[in-house]
Amino acid sequence: MLQRRPQYIELADVQLSGDLLLPPAATGLVVFVHGSGSSRLSPRNQQVAQHLSERGFATLLFDLLTEREQRRDRVTCELRFDIPLLTGRLVGVLDWLSVQPELRRLAVGLFGASTGAAAALSAAVERPGHVQAIVSRGGRTDLAEEALGRVRAPTLQIVGDHDLHVLGLNRKVCRALSCEQQLEVVPGASHLFEEPGTLQEVARLAGDWFEAHLGEATRASA
């Protein structure tokens, strides 16, 4: 039976809130890294998380910022583009997961959206042994900058064909990455994948990528 649990993630300097979906005999754990101005309550990420849980993956959605920081960011919009800060928070969450008895055996994938995708790539460089695969949804992966050439986790970028600016940036990132990688362009989709069927296609592509790269790693660590 699928379990839903609130999580309170204690890092060195802050406590972050999260929501865990844990199916029986999970084949991996996907950590969601939300994008600009969003939170763990993102309806798009929640929809993708539900799809992944139905395919046997545990999922963790968490807030990169505290409530006070979120209020500040809604006014200034500065923290959502602070990639070192977001990366540090994600690294802290990965370290926290590595000592959780129920979760530490699971191979970890990262699902990043918008600026969260840059944090996902950067965190994978800082914790290469912790991250087995990455998926970016409409991601500003270009903001990972010098980390791009050091990413080793297989990386899938998903972008809508109407999202011309991000599509161009993702294509440049393809040339900078030296890991196993793929760029999937979803027909008829804009930046937020609001068009009918487009987010379902994102979920399917992400699920296929994580199935290819997490299941075997989880079995090897069991």
Side-chain angles (χ1 to χ4, degrees):
M1 182 176 180
L2 181 66
Q3 299 181 47
R4 297 175 181 267
R5 301 181 192 170
Q7 301 292 308
Y8 301 98
I9 304 167
E10 296 285 351
L11 304 186
D13 55 345
V14 293
Q15 182 188 77
L16 302 177
S17 298
D19 296 305
L20 176 72
L21 287 177
L22 185 62
T27 54
L29 170 62
V30 178
V31 178
F32 283 72
V33 195
H34 62 73
S36 304
S38 189
S39 73
R40 75 185 192 282
L41 302 179
S42 160
R44 285 172 288 277
N45 280 353
Q46 288 186 345
Q47 183 174 334
V48 175
Q50 181 65 37
H51 173 87
L52 293 177
S53 69
E54 291 169 0
R55 292 179 67 161
F57 295 103
T59 62
L60 176 68
L61 291 89
F62 74 99
D63 290 331
L64 283 160
L65 303 177
T66 65
E67 289 186 10
R68 175 180 292 183
E69 289 170 337
Q70 288 179 42
R71 289 195 297 270
R72 172 184 163 193
D73 189 61
R74 280 194 288 270
V75 176
T76 66
C77 298
E78 61 185 13
L79 297 179
R80 67 189 65 180
F81 288 100
D82 188 340
I83 304 304
L85 170 67
L86 304 182
T87 299
R89 295 280 169 85
L90 178 54
V91 167
V93 170
L94 291 173
D95 291 344
W96 177 83
L97 287 169
S98 71
V99 297
Q100 301 307 304
E102 282 188 296
L103 304 176
R104 63 189 179 189
R105 71 172 185 84
L106 298 175
V108 173
L110 301 178
F111 183 96
S114 190
T115 54
L121 289 167
S122 299
V125 169
E126 293 198 29
R127 293 293 186 272
H130 288 27
V131 179
Q132 303 299 320
I134 301 168
V135 173
S136 162
R137 171 179 64 81
R140 287 297 307 276
T141 47
D142 59 296
L143 295 176
E145 297 179 338
E146 66 275 2
L148 291 172
R150 296 184 288 139
V151 175
R152 295 294 172 263
T155 298
L156 170 65
Q157 297 183 98
I158 307 172
V159 63
D161 69 349
H162 292 177
D163 191 6
L164 297 178
H165 178 60
V166 173
L167 177 56
L169 293 172
N170 282 190
R171 283 174 170 155
K172 289 181 180 178
V173 166
C174 287
R175 296 192 287 271
L177 291 170
S178 57
C179 58
E180 178 185 347
Q181 61 165 303
Q182 192 168 321
L183 175 65
E184 289 283 355
V185 182
V186 178
S190 59
H191 182 63
L192 295 178
F193 296 90
E194 297 174 301
E195 298 76 15
T198 58
L199 192 61
Q200 289 86 343
E201 179 65 3
V202 169
R204 184 191 69 79
L205 291 167
D208 289 350
W209 192 258
F210 288 131
E211 280 187 356
H213 296 97
L214 296 188
E216 186 174 341
T218 293
R219 289 190 293 272
S221 64

